[in-house]
Amino acid sequence: MLGGGKEEMIYTVIRIDEADYGCEEREAGAPTQALLTLVDEKGVQSRQQVEDALLYQREINEGDRIYFDADGNPAKAADGEWTKNCSSKNVDLAAFVNKMEAVKAGRKVEWKCPFCGGDVGMMEREGGRTVIGCDSCDMRIRLENH
């Protein structure tokens, strides 16, 4: 997400393994963990342990691009092309463009993200650009101000 002008790091999931609990078993009631092997945009590999159920719930698989939300949980990164993604979700593009123009003009608009259900609004206005995005996922659109 863009927060204070900073973009989240996007990772590619190289591998998903069951987390190793060593010689100790998982505590009763503790969620099953998975171990993600990731590579960032600079090619640096890392590993991150996450709840296995989140991967299923968010349909995260090997090869997917992800980021970590404000709570440190993995979330699938959208490909960034709103109109293409919205067309595939049967979004009313005319209504979408009208909302986008209203937000760009500084008006408050009731707008839910078609991908995650989060609230969409103006994230930042910088120079000749306006960034509109979702407060729950990484969907962003950058518009030139005319």
Side-chain angles (χ1 to χ4, degrees):
M1 285 183 5
L2 287 175
K6 178 180 170 255
E7 290 210 36
E8 295 273 335
M9 178 69 74
I10 302 293
Y11 301 90
T12 300
V13 178
I14 296 174
R15 186 176 167 110
I16 301 174
D17 293 300
E18 185 177 325
D20 182 7
Y21 297 97
C23 60
E24 296 180 18
E25 296 212 9
R26 185 168 44 101
E27 288 184 32
T32 303
Q33 299 287 305
L35 186 62
L36 300 179
T37 302
L38 308 168
V39 63
D40 69 20
E41 296 165 320
K42 296 176 184 174
V44 177
Q45 280 194 19
S46 61
R47 299 180 97 184
Q48 182 76 28
Q49 190 168 309
V50 299
E51 284 189 32
D52 192 49
L54 276 175
L55 299 179
Y56 286 103
Q57 178 185 32
R58 296 179 178 191
E59 299 178 4
I60 296 173
N61 298 295
E62 290 178 358
D64 286 343
R65 295 176 58 240
I66 67 167
Y67 66 98
F68 290 91
D69 64 20
D71 296 324
N73 294 318
K76 204 176 235 185
D79 76 11
E81 181 60 48
W82 269 38
T83 53
K84 179 178 158 188
N85 284 320
C86 289
S87 293
S88 71
K89 297 275 188 185
N90 295 320
V91 171
D92 179 347
L93 287 180
F96 176 87
V97 170
N98 288 337
K99 288 180 180 180
M100 194 169 53
E101 289 298 325
V103 169
K104 182 178 169 185
R107 293 192 300 272
K108 181 81 171 143
V109 176
E110 182 75 24
W111 189 0
K112 294 294 180 188
C113 177
F115 304 98
C116 73
D119 292 320
V120 176
M122 185 182 313
M123 303 301 285
E124 68 180 72
R125 183 168 286 184
E126 182 177 295
R129 294 185 331 164
T130 298
V131 178
I132 297 172
C134 175
D135 66 358
S136 295
C137 72
D138 72 332
M139 254 341 229
R140 301 288 180 270
I141 188 163
R142 288 165 181 81
L143 304 170
E144 297 298 320
N145 297 335
H146 298 291

